[in-house]
Amino acid sequence: MSAGTIRSLLMGDKQADRVVPPTGFTARLTLFVSGAMAFLAVFALALSLASGRLADRWADELARSATLRINAPADQMADQTMMALTILRQTPGVAEARALTAEEQTALLSPWFGPNLPIDTLPVPQLIEVTETGEGYDQAGLRLRLSAEVPGAVLDDHTRWREPLVAAANSLRRLALVSILLIGGATAAMITLAANAALAANAQVIEVLRLVGAKDRFIAGAFVRRFTLRALLGASVGVVLGMGGVLLLPEASQEGGFLTGLGFRGAAWLLPLAVPIMGAAVAFAATWAAAHRTLKELT
Amino acid sequence: MIELDNVGYSYGGGELLGDVSVQLAPGSFHFLTGPSGAGKTTLLKLCYGALQPTAGQVRVFDQDMRKLDRDQMALMRRRIGVVHQDCRFLDHLPLSENIALPLLVSGKDLNGEEENLRELMKWVGLAPRADAVPQELSGGERQRAALARAVIMSPDVVIADEPTGNVDWEMSQRLLQLLVELNRMGKTVLIASHDLALIRAAKSQVQARVLRISNRRLQLAGADL
């Protein structure tokens, strides 16, 4: 199908549209369905983008950090921490090593123990946050040196729990993308059903048009235009509502953890605007195919 | 204009028409007669491509009908005005738009044709009914409207299937008058009718030939009418 054909199918004039009788009820159903589908598509899109961001962040930031945990009797804690920090600062490939303050450790633990527990009375290990440079450090060498000089130190490079998290975020993203495809497919199916119903209901009209010398393009155009515009309008309303819904989601925050921050960021806000256009394109193709199937059976 | 060469039409095993050969010359006036169910409507449909023959060849404007693609078929139909037995209107559009429908589907500028449309509606005596919807029309009005729609594109051929089927004698005379006038303007006219009185009335005004279907064959009827 050439660009000219598509243009002439979509343009058409008011008078040509009148040859197909107006259908109030099915028109509203098509509007509703494409609106609902667009609304869902916006959320699937937000989910896919957010899980993508999450996966990237975990894969990226956490890969370049590690935690050193020091378990030592209370009187040796400060010495061992000092020692570990010194070793870490001497290790090539470590960009930064920083012992967490007591307050920071309390903040980390309070969600689990509650705010009222006096954590400083517990034998809490000291944590040291290690940030790598781009090249990274020699893990085996560092472990060996630590075990010799700081017996209470355990190096955790996060791989153990980072990998399943990244995998989970990635499969969430895949799921969201599959949902978008399914939404598109379901919209196509629904529009095809509606278009077939409209074509069947107007079989007489189509026959008369054909008898007075209408080309297939004219007849198909009357239906294609109608359904494309309905899908475009419905999907636009759906997208506006969907974006409003996403806007109302809570902001990303420390307390909310990774479940917040599901919305769009920056230029990604433009992405949902493509949904009505895609919806209209799907409706165009579905109606065009349905009309051609019907017309082929007429002389 | 339209040539049928050994045309046959069968459906579901039974033969309805066979060995039909006829030529409609430009400017000719033909009646097609025969008992009900003999295949008059089928023969007309073969002439404007609503049916394809199961045997033989139909040539329209020197083109083999079978070789026309769908768009060419549409263009061919714009050159043949058809008055269908059941008129075939779009019931949701007013009469004037129904009559102008062939102009609309062929992409003509409707505003430019407005004067023509008005004149045509006056010619068939329907000017006061321009805004009526088809259901509000009487049988005669419907037939005249169908005729107006058939000729609005100024076709070379006018085919009418029982145009006087359900109208009284006076009205059928009027319709005949309109068809005779079209013939005098140079149109080729083919009318299916079993109304012998009408055919006799026509013969006094125009040189009409009568084709009769009998026993699945088409014969040129003699002077017995």
Side-chain angles (χ1 to χ4, degrees), chain B residues 4-16:
Chain B
L4 278 68
D5 189 13
N6 279 319
V7 165
Y9 187 77
S10 315
Y11 57 93
E15 188 190 48
L16 184 63

Side-chain angles (χ1 to χ4, degrees), chain B residues 167-208:
Chain B
V167 297
D168 59 25
W169 176 245
E170 203 176 320
M171 184 57 71
S172 66
Q173 285 294 301
R174 235 175 114 187
L175 277 162
L176 179 66
Q177 206 56 49
L178 294 173
L179 286 160
V180 168
E181 274 177 48
L182 284 170
N183 182 244
R184 287 194 181 130
M185 287 155 71
K187 314 282 183 211
T188 308
V189 177
L190 173 61
I191 305 169
S193 176
H194 59 253
D195 186 350
L196 297 183
L198 183 80
I199 297 174
R200 274 190 213 104
K203 283 195 132 185
S204 65
Q205 302 176 42
V206 71
Q207 202 177 11

Side-chain angles (χ1 to χ4, degrees), chain A residues 17 30 36 86 99 137 152 172 232 244:
Chain A
D17 283 342
T30 320
T86 314
Y137 55 89
L172 203 60
L232 186 66

Side-chain angles (χ1 to χ4, degrees), chain A residues 183-196:
Chain A
I183 287 168
T187 309
M190 217 86 76
I191 301 273
T192 302
L193 288 175
N196 274 336

Side-chain angles (χ1 to χ4, degrees), chain A residues 44-70:
Chain A
L45 201 61
L47 184 63
S48 114
L49 288 175
S51 54
R53 266 199 314 269
L54 218 59
D56 290 347
R57 206 178 65 213
W58 283 340
D60 194 46
E61 284 178 13
L62 297 181
R64 281 189 289 108
S65 72
T67 309
L68 192 67
R69 195 171 70 236
I70 298 168

